[in-house]
Amino acid sequence: MAAISLRDVRKNYGATEVIHGVSLDVTDGEFIVIVGPSGCGKSTLLRMVAGLEPITAGTIEIGGRVVNDLEPRERDIAMVFQNYALYPHMSVYDNMAYGLKIAGLSKQAIRERVDVAATMLELKPYLDRKPRALSGGQRQRVAMGRALVRQPAAFLFDEPLSNLDAKLRVQMRLEIKSMQRKVETTSLYVTHDQVEAMTLADRLVVMNAGNAEQIDTPLNVYRQPATTFVAGFIGSPAMNMMAATVAANGRGLELDSGGSVKPRDTALAETGRKVLLGIRPEHLSLVQELNADLKLAVVAVETLGADTLAHGHLADSRGAGGDLVVRLPGTSPVKPGDVLPLAVEPGMAHLFDRETGKRIEA
């Protein structure tokens, strides 16, 4: 096991900079998930740690060693890919044992390591099968087992569950987390799926256009997003965003789309400041009209069983910018055309600077 440290790591392709100075300290045994949309640089960052992409500037350390100029095989890491990368002509046992044979381990040592990994991943009944005789989830477990037997300093996962169906992804998430807790190996995991990110990570690195927008625990990222990008990317449906101006005399926020709101227990910025008011759909609740912060004119309803999503616009909206989504209990009798009086849960409104997109702290 080993800590991983990135110091102002950058990557250029010609004159185009795609990674803009990322710094990150991963403690020994920590599970870090790098999450972001396609093209944000998350896989490129992982491949630089693995040694599959040369870095343009900065420093990468694994276990206290600077590995900038080391080949992948010299970095003491094991990588699990999206496409499994199994040898089709080899059995499950031989796929898992191959790297150890190349490393020169004895047959007894190889057998012991493969047996431990196969037991942990419930692969013992399949050791004599070829990959073509396995399901997608079993193939992914073989790929994980091949990494596990290496007993590396760090695991690197590059979107390993993208090829699996939704039900199997849930099962494999649990298996990956369980395995990582048992072996306590430092892990970097790349995904575009926010549910994977939130459920697996000790800490998240939220990437946007080559920048690490926020590095924090999943709950802190959800509760205190550092930027409007993070607020919109983490959480489904995305956070509601409304342009507003801080009103004078403690009157709250004047919404650009019409009307005003004064979120309770939310510190406001200085008078006249142009801000974005962010409210998650699940932090709005139905109240009596006299206690309403906002009124939603419902346009469409999504019935999801446990939840109901009501889409619409602010009832006193003057036009664009007043769109709103609220998450209600699945039993709520809401229909298009209804006007819903809503209150913001205390302390659950977020303010962001309209120009920079950065969070305004109390």
Side-chain angles (χ1 to χ4, degrees), residues 155-174:
F155 288 130
L156 307 182
F157 297 89
D158 189 7
E159 303 210 44
L161 307 185
S162 294
N163 292 336
L164 305 180
D165 61 53
K167 183 177 179 181
L168 194 52
R169 286 172 74 117
V170 173
Q171 178 186 340
M172 290 301 299
R173 282 204 305 267
L174 297 175

Side-chain angles (χ1 to χ4, degrees), residues 103-229:
L105 270 69
S106 68
K107 289 184 178 180
Q108 179 63 26
I110 293 173
R111 189 176 301 109
E112 290 175 356
R113 288 199 190 184
V114 171
D115 185 69
V116 170
T119 300
M120 183 182 299
L121 296 170
E122 299 181 2
L123 288 171
K124 293 199 74 172
Y126 313 108
L127 289 177
D128 294 329
R129 293 191 187 182
K130 300 288 177 55
R132 64 177 176 271
L134 303 175
S135 68
Q138 289 166 342
R139 292 179 194 180
Q140 192 56 273
R141 280 201 293 253
V142 175
M144 288 166 55
R146 183 177 54 191
L148 187 61
V149 298
R150 294 266 313 278
Q151 297 180 357
F155 288 130
L156 307 182
F157 297 89
D158 189 7
E159 303 210 44
L161 307 185
S162 294
N163 292 336
L164 305 180
D165 61 53
K167 183 177 179 181
L168 194 52
R169 286 172 74 117
V170 173
Q171 178 186 340
M172 290 301 299
R173 282 204 305 267
L174 297 175
E175 291 184 7
I176 289 174
K177 189 63 175 179
S178 176
M179 180 197 75
Q180 197 271 341
R181 283 178 174 167
K182 287 178 182 176
V183 299
E184 297 182 329
T185 301
T186 307
S187 300
L188 290 181
Y189 186 107
V190 160
T191 183
H192 65 275
D193 187 321
Q194 59 167 290
V195 176
E196 270 180 40
M198 293 289 287
T199 55
L200 285 172
D202 294 324
R203 282 191 298 153
L204 293 180
V205 180
V206 184
M207 294 289 294
N208 177 31
N211 293 293
E213 292 263 323
Q214 187 169 2
I215 302 173
D216 211 332
T217 64
L219 281 180
N220 282 347
V221 169
Y222 173 78
R223 291 171 176 167
Q224 295 182 305
T227 64
T228 52
F229 172 82

Side-chain angles (χ1 to χ4, degrees), residues 280-293:
R280 293 201 181 277
E282 54 269 34
H283 294 152
L284 289 164
S285 54
L286 284 171
V287 294
Q288 296 296 320
E289 189 166 344
L290 287 175
N291 299 321
D293 295 315

Side-chain angles (χ1 to χ4, degrees), residues 294-311:
L294 302 164
K295 292 181 182 178
L296 173 67
V298 179
V299 174
V301 175
E302 290 183 273
T303 303
L304 306 177
D307 300 312
T308 293
L309 300 180
H311 300 256

Side-chain angles (χ1 to χ4, degrees), residues 58-77:
T59 302
I60 298 176
E61 293 183 10
I62 301 176
R65 290 190 306 161
V66 175
V67 298
N68 290 19
D69 300 320
L70 296 183
E71 294 295 322
R73 60 185 173 82
E74 300 173 307
R75 299 191 180 200
D76 194 19
I77 53 96

Side-chain angles (χ1 to χ4, degrees), residues 72-91:
R73 60 185 173 82
E74 300 173 307
R75 299 191 180 200
D76 194 19
I77 53 96
M79 195 158 181
V80 179
F81 297 93
Q82 176 180 342
N83 62 359
Y84 317 139
L86 301 178
Y87 296 107
H89 63 288
M90 292 184 181
S91 68

